[in-house]
Every structure is written in structure tokens, then in C-alpha cells.
Amino acid sequence: MLQDLYREIILDHYAHPRNRGKLEGADIAVEGVNPSCGDEISLYARVRDGRLEEVRFEGRGCSISQASASMMTEAVKGKSLDAAHELAEEFKAMMHGQVPDEGRLGDLVALQGVRRFPVRIKCATLAWVALQQGLREYAAGRPARVVASSEDEL
Amino acid sequence: MPIPLDVRADFPLLQRSLDGKPLVYLDSAATSQKPRAVLEALQRYYEEYNANVHRGLYRIAERATLAYEEARAKVAAFVGARPEELVFTRGTTEAINLVAYAWGDAFVRAGDEVLVTEMEHHSNLVPWQLLAQRRGARLRVLKVRPEDGTLDLDSLDRLLTERTRIVAVTHQSNVVGTINPVRYISERAHAVGAVVVVDGAQSVPHMPVRVAELGCDFLAFSGHKMCGPTGIGALWGRRELLEAMPPFHGGGEMIERVELEHSTYKDPPHRFEAGTPNIAGAIALGVAVEYLRALGMEAVREHEKALVRYAMAQLAELRGLRLYGPKDPELRGGALAFTLEGVHPHDVAQVLDEQGVCVRAGHHCAQPLHRALGLAATARASVYLYNTAEDIDALVRGLERVRAFFGLAS
């Protein structure tokens, strides 16, 4: 039961977050905030030749939100902006019930256990919603710093 | 008379188990469980005398009206008030909004001040923000002392001015359990001519409350936190204030004579009960307060105090656990907000749930208070008359499992 939610790889990312820290001069900077539970993620990315050359995050919150952010940075680093956006779509679709393509989602599949705990789904999607918001703002040429939340997404 | 040990047998939900584990319910600050007598009262109304109130000439309608008004008398007596001063509402939130709209819009002017506290539940904060915006009034804030979760009363007299029209304060914090000196606050507020609105959602269910002793002008509380059903609550207000207030909602039941262009309204409390009320809920709330009265509110308070003392001692043994609010059980109620170092409150609550222990995690509708404490969220265990030391033991065992699960060495 509980092991479905807190898979080993999730707890590992929570305890040892990857790509953690601030990125100076980032092209994309998004604050992801879920006020109702207090989960916070600052997401930074540097774009080179249409790819996410560097992705980092800082934040505080529950294990699911922080692990998901950490796993996301690994998954999207080096990807084209479009591919990163696609992956976010695929991840969100998995969280909302679609059968995932394990080849494309890789380790991220571990987070599908969260689906059985509906109130925690928004914890898992926060970093991804923030990423998509950042990509949209970047494409529109708007200033780097924006705020996103996954609480209104159903 | 202490709370009898078999009181749990009165609550059907507490007999249940989840995955073979007994249910340990420690979230009564959110909503209480219901005794069988209350559930039966709801059913009896619908099965035996379901009819609208204040209208029908037939016998079951008379019986429904009588039961509804008797419930009003019982609920009023429960807080030492007269029935003509007690308005049934959907709950505390609606009761506070009623005051903010009906009294606030009529008597608060541009440049006036409304004093709230940093400790408030959003339901005793947002209605005042909205009022201030509508009327061009200024919201002022009495701060919380982060070290013990009490109000900074030293600044009270500085914050009260001749412009202060309303002082809104909770009787007991829904997060850190602090019991506020409402009588003192009322006296100081009255000295500048302000009206005092008290959020009694966490006090009326848990301790003896008499409006005369509080010295306030309005008291709001919810039925579902005091063994009653959801969707019913009450607003007590001083008669002369209620009489001076225009209606809140317009509709049936609240009018005397209706012309096409204008109407005349009933006297309080009916002036503020537009539309068909929650008849079943009000009757069942009447049964709930009878149930509480039979146990004795002194006994309820003593029972919870003993549990809080026990819980505080047990929780203090857990490494990395930090408890917020007053240390002295005399100064606090049964809401125990805590954090466990290295584990987010949501993860704490999730792992506890697996063991059948129900606690809440988040900001508990009190974001400014959490900000004052320097926190985004807490986990909260809260006790009521049916909780036992075994429930606290289960919580402590559960928290040990949380620590183990997240790999925190003990």
C-alpha cells in the first residue's frame, strides 16, 4: 500500500535530490506553489540551441513534490523544448490515469503509484506544471520569472 | 463526573476498523463524530414528521415547527443565551459572514477600522477583508507571539482606536489550541466602542461557554464540530444589535408583508433565516447539545485537558518532534499542531493513515498563523470527548513508524 506511494527511487530522490540549486542567469525561472499544502519549487533552466542545456530546482515540501522535481530535472535535461513539453504532457496523462509508455517515461513510472492517493497527485505534478508554464512564457518571450500551481488542474 | 469509559459505544463510526486496524480518529477539530442519538434524530424527522416549518396548518408541520424552535431554545441555552438571540446558520463561516454583511455594511464607514488577529481561521479573516474592501475600511492585525502561539496582548490597546468598529477574534485556535482571553479583549474593545465578534467553532464544542461571561457581542459556532450534523450552526448576537441589522439574505420565512416594490421583515432571529432552513440539522443539533449537556461540558473540558497533558508528555519523547502553542494545558484546548524534523506534514499524515490514525496536515485554513510561526504546514492531532490515552499511544507508535519509514535514526 504505502510502498506503492513511496517507492524506493522516490525516497532516494527525496533524500538525495539531483540538480538541486539555483541557476544564475537562467532563461526560464518559475515558482511552482501549491498554497493549500505549502509545496514550493523554484525551477531554473538555461536554453541553448532550442534545448534545455541545464535544469535545476530548489524547493521545500513533501517527499512526492520534491522527488518528482528532482526526477524531472534528470528526465528533461538535454531535451528539446518541444520534447520536454511532450514529456510533461505524458507525465500528467499518466498521473491522471493513462497507461504510461515505460520506454519514454523510464524511472518516472515509479510515480504512478501516487495515483491511488488522489490528494497527492498535485504534489507529483507541481514541478511539471511549473516546467510547462516556464516553457510557454519562454516561447512567448515574456520575462523569466512566473508563478505556477497544480492545485487548479484536475 | 468524568466522561464514562463506554462513551465510545455511542459513536457508530468509532466502532469501525480499516484494513483490520481500529480507527484512531484524531481530527475532531475538523469535524467531530456523531453519536447514535443524533443520527436517529435526523432519520426520525425524515421518517415521521418531515414538513416545512412556520407554514403548515397540519399536525406534522406543527410538530416540525415545534421541534425546530425547541432546538433553537436548547442551542441558545447551551451557550447561556435566549432563543430570540440565536440565529441558525449553515455554520460558523456563514454566521461570521452574516455579521460582516448585515452589521458591517450598515455600520462600518470609510476610514473605520476592523481589528483581527493573526491567529484567525480564514473564516474569521476573509469576511473582514471583504468588508474592509467594500466599505473602504482599514484592517488592522493583532500579532501572534511565535514562541508560544499566544496573542500579543501588550499591543492591543495601541491597536484599538476610536475608529475601531469591529474586533474579530477566535476563542480557541484551531491550530495551536491557544485559548484567548475573550472577556479581557471584549472589555478593552468596548472601551473604544467596538463590537466584538467571537469565533467559537473550537471552544463551544469543548468547554463550558456562556455569552455573558465572554462579554462579546456576537458568537459564531458550528454544529458538526460538536456532535451535530454538517450544514447547521448558529450565530448568537445581542438583541439590540440584531434588531438594528438589515436582512442578510432575502426570501421566504424572513418577511412580514411583501409588496412588489418593498417588504417589511420579521424580527430577529427569523429575519436572518431566509428560505427553508436546515430543519433536520437544527433538530439534530438540539439533540447533540442535549447529549453534551448530559455528559457535562466541565467533564468534556477536563477529559481533553488530561489527554492533552498526556499527549504532550508522550510526544516530547519523540526525537525531532516540535509541538506548537502554549505549554500549559490550562491555557489551551485539544488541537495539537506539530512538525517532525525531516518529514513533511503530508508525509507524516500519509504514513499515519496507513496505521488507521487520522490526523490533518496542511495549513488548517490558517495561513497567516503558519507564516507567523515560520512554517508552511503542520500536522495536527486533535482530541474530543471520545478519545483515549490508547489513541495517543497509537499516534506515538505511528510517529515512530514515520521516523523509521523515512530512515531517520532514532
Side-chain angles (χ1 to χ4, degrees), chain A residues 116-128:
Chain A
R116 293 182 53 194
F117 302 85
V119 294
R120 306 299 298 276
I121 291 175
K122 67 177 190 312
C123 310
T125 55
L126 177 60
W128 298 86

PDB file of all heavy atoms in Angstrom, chain A residues 116-128:
ATOM      1  N   ARG A 116      -3.075   6.376  -6.693  1.00  0.00           N
ATOM      2  CA  ARG A 116      -4.013   5.761  -5.746  1.00  0.00           C
ATOM      3  C   ARG A 116      -4.298   6.664  -4.553  1.00  0.00           C
ATOM      4  O   ARG A 116      -5.113   6.336  -3.692  1.00  0.00           O
ATOM      5  CB  ARG A 116      -3.465   4.414  -5.274  1.00  0.00           C
ATOM      6  CG  ARG A 116      -3.423   3.398  -6.401  1.00  0.00           C
ATOM      7  CD  ARG A 116      -2.925   2.063  -5.934  1.00  0.00           C
ATOM      8  NE  ARG A 116      -3.672   1.565  -4.777  1.00  0.00           N
ATOM      9  CZ  ARG A 116      -3.266   0.566  -4.030  1.00  0.00           C
ATOM     10  NH1 ARG A 116      -2.132  -0.037  -4.299  1.00  0.00           N
ATOM     11  NH2 ARG A 116      -3.980   0.164  -3.003  1.00  0.00           N
ATOM     12  N   PHE A 117      -3.598   7.789  -4.484  1.00  0.00           N
ATOM     13  CA  PHE A 117      -3.793   8.733  -3.372  1.00  0.00           C
ATOM     14  C   PHE A 117      -4.152  10.087  -3.986  1.00  0.00           C
ATOM     15  O   PHE A 117      -3.291  10.963  -4.132  1.00  0.00           O
ATOM     16  CB  PHE A 117      -2.516   8.818  -2.538  1.00  0.00           C
ATOM     17  CG  PHE A 117      -2.075   7.499  -1.989  1.00  0.00           C
ATOM     18  CD1 PHE A 117      -1.305   6.631  -2.744  1.00  0.00           C
ATOM     19  CD2 PHE A 117      -2.467   7.103  -0.717  1.00  0.00           C
ATOM     20  CE1 PHE A 117      -0.917   5.388  -2.250  1.00  0.00           C
ATOM     21  CE2 PHE A 117      -2.075   5.867  -0.209  1.00  0.00           C
ATOM     22  CZ  PHE A 117      -1.311   5.015  -0.968  1.00  0.00           C
ATOM     23  N   PRO A 118      -5.422  10.249  -4.341  1.00  0.00           N
ATOM     24  CA  PRO A 118      -5.819  11.404  -5.177  1.00  0.00           C
ATOM     25  C   PRO A 118      -5.343  12.762  -4.676  1.00  0.00           C
ATOM     26  O   PRO A 118      -4.939  13.590  -5.489  1.00  0.00           O
ATOM     27  CB  PRO A 118      -7.350  11.329  -5.156  1.00  0.00           C
ATOM     28  CG  PRO A 118      -7.650   9.881  -4.905  1.00  0.00           C
ATOM     29  CD  PRO A 118      -6.548   9.369  -4.038  1.00  0.00           C
ATOM     30  N   VAL A 119      -5.325  12.980  -3.372  1.00  0.00           N
ATOM     31  CA  VAL A 119      -4.925  14.322  -2.914  1.00  0.00           C
ATOM     32  C   VAL A 119      -3.444  14.589  -3.132  1.00  0.00           C
ATOM     33  O   VAL A 119      -2.994  15.728  -3.064  1.00  0.00           O
ATOM     34  CB  VAL A 119      -5.263  14.589  -1.420  1.00  0.00           C
ATOM     35  CG1 VAL A 119      -6.753  14.614  -1.192  1.00  0.00           C
ATOM     36  CG2 VAL A 119      -4.577  13.601  -0.509  1.00  0.00           C
ATOM     37  N   ARG A 120      -2.677  13.519  -3.414  1.00  0.00           N
ATOM     38  CA  ARG A 120      -1.239  13.724  -3.596  1.00  0.00           C
ATOM     39  C   ARG A 120      -0.858  13.917  -5.057  1.00  0.00           C
ATOM     40  O   ARG A 120       0.307  14.199  -5.351  1.00  0.00           O
ATOM     41  CB  ARG A 120      -0.456  12.538  -3.008  1.00  0.00           C
ATOM     42  CG  ARG A 120      -0.781  12.217  -1.556  1.00  0.00           C
ATOM     43  CD  ARG A 120      -0.476  13.357  -0.606  1.00  0.00           C
ATOM     44  NE  ARG A 120       0.919  13.754  -0.529  1.00  0.00           N
ATOM     45  CZ  ARG A 120       1.814  13.161   0.254  1.00  0.00           C
ATOM     46  NH1 ARG A 120       1.470  12.149   1.012  1.00  0.00           N
ATOM     47  NH2 ARG A 120       3.052  13.590   0.280  1.00  0.00           N
ATOM     48  N   ILE A 121      -1.784  13.729  -5.970  1.00  0.00           N
ATOM     49  CA  ILE A 121      -1.454  13.835  -7.405  1.00  0.00           C
ATOM     50  C   ILE A 121      -0.870  15.208  -7.719  1.00  0.00           C
ATOM     51  O   ILE A 121       0.117  15.347  -8.432  1.00  0.00           O
ATOM     52  CB  ILE A 121      -2.697  13.535  -8.277  1.00  0.00           C
ATOM     53  CG1 ILE A 121      -3.042  12.043  -8.160  1.00  0.00           C
ATOM     54  CG2 ILE A 121      -2.456  13.906  -9.746  1.00  0.00           C
ATOM     55  CD1 ILE A 121      -4.320  11.629  -8.865  1.00  0.00           C
ATOM     56  N   LYS A 122      -1.458  16.239  -7.134  1.00  0.00           N
ATOM     57  CA  LYS A 122      -0.972  17.595  -7.412  1.00  0.00           C
ATOM     58  C   LYS A 122       0.439  17.809  -6.875  1.00  0.00           C
ATOM     59  O   LYS A 122       1.165  18.663  -7.380  1.00  0.00           O
ATOM     60  CB  LYS A 122      -1.933  18.639  -6.852  1.00  0.00           C
ATOM     61  CG  LYS A 122      -2.030  18.701  -5.341  1.00  0.00           C
ATOM     62  CD  LYS A 122      -2.967  19.828  -4.958  1.00  0.00           C
ATOM     63  CE  LYS A 122      -2.964  20.150  -3.476  1.00  0.00           C
ATOM     64  NZ  LYS A 122      -3.086  19.052  -2.557  1.00  0.00           N
ATOM     65  N   CYS A 123       0.834  17.027  -5.874  1.00  0.00           N
ATOM     66  CA  CYS A 123       2.218  17.120  -5.388  1.00  0.00           C
ATOM     67  C   CYS A 123       3.169  16.646  -6.491  1.00  0.00           C
ATOM     68  O   CYS A 123       4.201  17.251  -6.742  1.00  0.00           O
ATOM     69  CB  CYS A 123       2.428  16.257  -4.146  1.00  0.00           C
ATOM     70  SG  CYS A 123       1.204  16.502  -2.846  1.00  0.00           S
ATOM     71  N   ALA A 124       2.779  15.542  -7.145  1.00  0.00           N
ATOM     72  CA  ALA A 124       3.638  14.964  -8.181  1.00  0.00           C
ATOM     73  C   ALA A 124       3.669  15.832  -9.425  1.00  0.00           C
ATOM     74  O   ALA A 124       4.683  15.875 -10.134  1.00  0.00           O
ATOM     75  CB  ALA A 124       3.152  13.552  -8.520  1.00  0.00           C
ATOM     76  N   THR A 125       2.593  16.515  -9.731  1.00  0.00           N
ATOM     77  CA  THR A 125       2.540  17.267 -10.987  1.00  0.00           C
ATOM     78  C   THR A 125       3.083  18.699 -10.871  1.00  0.00           C
ATOM     79  O   THR A 125       3.301  19.353 -11.890  1.00  0.00           O
ATOM     80  CB  THR A 125       1.097  17.342 -11.537  1.00  0.00           C
ATOM     81  OG1 THR A 125       0.235  17.884 -10.537  1.00  0.00           O
ATOM     82  CG2 THR A 125       0.593  15.965 -11.939  1.00  0.00           C
ATOM     83  N   LEU A 126       3.307  19.167  -9.643  1.00  0.00           N
ATOM     84  CA  LEU A 126       3.687  20.578  -9.454  1.00  0.00           C
ATOM     85  C   LEU A 126       4.894  20.987 -10.316  1.00  0.00           C
ATOM     86  O   LEU A 126       4.842  21.980 -11.048  1.00  0.00           O
ATOM     87  CB  LEU A 126       3.963  20.866  -7.973  1.00  0.00           C
ATOM     88  CG  LEU A 126       4.431  22.290  -7.647  1.00  0.00           C
ATOM     89  CD1 LEU A 126       3.385  23.320  -8.067  1.00  0.00           C
ATOM     90  CD2 LEU A 126       4.750  22.437  -6.158  1.00  0.00           C
ATOM     91  N   ALA A 127       5.968  20.219 -10.239  1.00  0.00           N
ATOM     92  CA  ALA A 127       7.183  20.586 -10.980  1.00  0.00           C
ATOM     93  C   ALA A 127       6.922  20.601 -12.485  1.00  0.00           C
ATOM     94  O   ALA A 127       7.458  21.447 -13.210  1.00  0.00           O
ATOM     95  CB  ALA A 127       8.307  19.599 -10.656  1.00  0.00           C
ATOM     96  N   TRP A 128       6.071  19.687 -12.929  1.00  0.00           N
ATOM     97  CA  TRP A 128       5.792  19.554 -14.362  1.00  0.00           C
ATOM     98  C   TRP A 128       4.912  20.687 -14.862  1.00  0.00           C
ATOM     99  O   TRP A 128       5.114  21.193 -15.971  1.00  0.00           O
ATOM    100  CB  TRP A 128       5.141  18.201 -14.622  1.00  0.00           C
ATOM    101  CG  TRP A 128       6.059  17.080 -14.254  1.00  0.00           C
ATOM    102  CD1 TRP A 128       6.217  16.512 -13.014  1.00  0.00           C
ATOM    103  CD2 TRP A 128       6.992  16.435 -15.107  1.00  0.00           C
ATOM    104  NE1 TRP A 128       7.190  15.545 -13.056  1.00  0.00           N
ATOM    105  CE2 TRP A 128       7.671  15.468 -14.334  1.00  0.00           C
ATOM    106  CE3 TRP A 128       7.315  16.568 -16.466  1.00  0.00           C
ATOM    107  CZ2 TRP A 128       8.664  14.653 -14.869  1.00  0.00           C
ATOM    108  CZ3 TRP A 128       8.293  15.736 -17.006  1.00  0.00           C
ATOM    109  CH2 TRP A 128       8.961  14.798 -16.204  1.00  0.00           C
TER     110      TRP A 128
END
